[in-house]
Amino acid sequence: MTQENLAVVAHGKGDLRLDALPEPTPAADEAVLAIAYGGVCGSDLHYWMHGAAGESILRDPLVLGHEIVGTVLHAAADGSGPSVGQRVAVHPATPGDNGETPFPDDRPNLSPAGTYLGSAARIPHTQGAFARRVALPSRMLRVLPEGLDLKLASLAEPAAVAWHGVGQAGDVRGKRVLVIGAGPIGALVVAVLKHHGAGEIIASDLHELPLAVATELGASRVIDARDPDAIAGVHADVVIESSGTVPGLASAIRGAGRGGRVVMLGLQRSGEVPALLSLAITRELTLVGSFRFADEIDAVIEALADRSLVVDAVLTHEFPVEQALDAFAVAGDASRSSKVLLSFDPEDHGSPEERGAS
């Protein structure tokens, strides 16, 4: 008997529900997926806790979720994309040109009218994929190599964000790199830096668990984020700010060596944000932004499959979709978790796996 199509839906600030959705009705270029796993992202947490993620304000119920993997139940009717039974990851972006705002052709992540699964940036909102069954355009689907575990593959999307951020730093081989914030994205940045051959990787955070995860993934040294002197003493060639906080941005500038490069990967709050610009000027720092990713997810999937990118330690908890509210509560506590997975396959449910939980 087919299980009801349970979905995780944000209805407003503090209002997260499990709703039963109708069965998906795919367009000709869409495949129907049975979702296996979905990773809880910071933006999902923001929609639940604050009713907004940055400047994207929740105005209608929104199915959350964009870090997803699954299996094709019904292939696209037009013959495009993967066939029935193939396991896939999802690239959740749809680039869009508004006809007015220029953007680089080779950087579709900067397109002004683009959409993203599980986003309230536009009205109507772009519904996400935290549901047992969803219909998605076949162009979003990336067939997974044989042998790549679905749980591990669920990290492809956030790891692509990290991969893009490291790319914004340029060639990191042999360089000293400081990562500010070792939450899920910061931890994945550490893993990507290790993959890319960084000479020394130093991570800072407020909590013991993320620092332990960063160490397991390749950080040679960790720093308590409340120790500004230790951070200032790093003199990093490259700093990747992954916390998305004002103190984190200040630490990133303090930790950068003269002539260094600071990648602002963590999304800061909307509006004006104070920054140590006088220090950035006198040190001749290069400050560069990083927003989502373009096609890096393909390289990430390949690196996950051949085990040259090792990210297993990021996965700390797993909950069945029926326990989504508990999962979000754990994901919202940075001292207890790194990446929290939701399992949507009723045959795969068991007791939540907790590694390193307090």
Side-chain angles (χ1 to χ4, degrees):
M1 180 178 177
T2 302
Q3 297 284 318
E4 64 180 350
N5 194 17
L6 278 184
V8 182
V9 184
H11 285 259
K13 179 180 178 180
D15 187 359
L16 188 71
R17 306 181 198 175
L18 278 174
D19 293 341
L21 300 184
E23 291 302 311
T25 53
D29 66 343
E30 292 183 330
V32 176
L33 303 187
I35 300 301
Y37 298 102
V40 179
C41 176
S43 63
D44 299 320
L45 293 173
H46 281 295
Y47 285 125
W48 163 52
M49 292 189 292
H50 310 298
E55 297 182 0
S56 301
I57 300 172
L58 193 63
R59 304 183 190 278
D60 296 298
L62 176 68
V63 179
L64 299 176
H66 56 265
E67 301 177 7
I68 48 171
V69 291
T71 303
V72 176
L73 285 178
H74 303 288
D78 67 359
S80 63
S83 56
V84 172
Q86 289 192 298
R87 303 172 315 131
V88 297
V90 175
H91 189 319
T94 299
D97 187 348
N98 64 8
E100 300 176 357
T101 308
F103 67 97
D105 291 338
D106 61 345
R107 297 162 80 177
N109 55 310
L110 302 182
S111 63
T115 60
Y116 217 74
L117 295 181
S119 170
R122 302 192 178 281
I123 299 175
H125 298 335
T126 305
Q127 298 299 315
F130 275 176
R132 284 201 171 121
R133 292 173 293 280
V134 298
L136 293 174
S138 57
R139 59 175 170 73
M140 286 187 173
L141 308 182
R142 303 295 194 269
V143 176
L144 297 174
E146 289 296 327
L148 177 55
D149 179 70
L150 274 173
K151 287 183 185 179
L152 200 60
S154 70
L155 291 170
E157 192 275 348
V161 173
W163 194 288
H164 182 76
V166 172
Q168 291 293 87
D171 187 357
V172 297
R173 286 176 295 180
K175 293 185 177 178
R176 175 180 293 178
V177 185
L178 172 63
V179 180
I180 303 293
I185 291 296
L188 290 168
V189 166
V190 170
V192 173
L193 287 167
K194 183 76 171 178
H195 174 277
H196 285 24
E200 183 181 5
I201 305 168
I202 303 151
S204 76
D205 201 276
L206 295 168
H207 305 291
E208 291 183 7
L209 176 61
L211 292 177
V213 170
T215 300
E216 190 169 345
L217 292 175
S220 55
R221 181 155 58 102
V222 296
I223 297 174
D224 190 313
R226 290 159 292 206
D227 188 343
D229 292 336
I231 290 172
V234 172
H235 305 290
D237 302 307
V238 171
V239 183
I240 300 183
E241 203 299 302
S242 302
S243 74
T245 65
V246 173
L249 181 56
S251 292
I253 293 175
R254 287 195 185 99
R258 294 172 183 268
R261 190 173 184 90
V262 176
V263 178
M264 296 173 288
L265 175 58
L267 185 61
Q268 293 285 332
R269 71 190 188 202
S270 61
E272 295 182 1
V273 173
L276 299 176
L277 291 185
S278 62
L279 196 59
I281 292 167
T282 58
R283 291 186 181 179
E284 290 194 356
L285 302 182
T286 300
L287 274 60
V288 61
S290 183
F291 184 61
R292 293 177 179 162
F293 59 93
D295 296 323
E296 289 89 346
I297 193 169
D298 299 317
V300 166
I301 290 171
E302 182 179 343
L304 289 173
D306 67 18
R307 299 296 291 169
S308 60
L309 178 64
V310 180
V311 297
D312 308 53
V314 178
L315 298 173
T316 56
H317 295 71
E318 179 189 337
F319 292 86
V321 64
E322 293 89 348
Q323 296 178 22
L325 273 65
D326 293 333
F328 271 62
V330 170
D333 185 347
S335 68
R336 293 177 60 197
S337 69
S338 185
K339 177 60 66 178
V340 173
L341 282 186
L342 290 174
S343 169
F344 291 86
D345 182 352
E347 300 302 321
D348 197 38
H349 289 175
S351 300
E353 299 174 5
E354 301 191 356
R355 183 184 61 78
S358 57

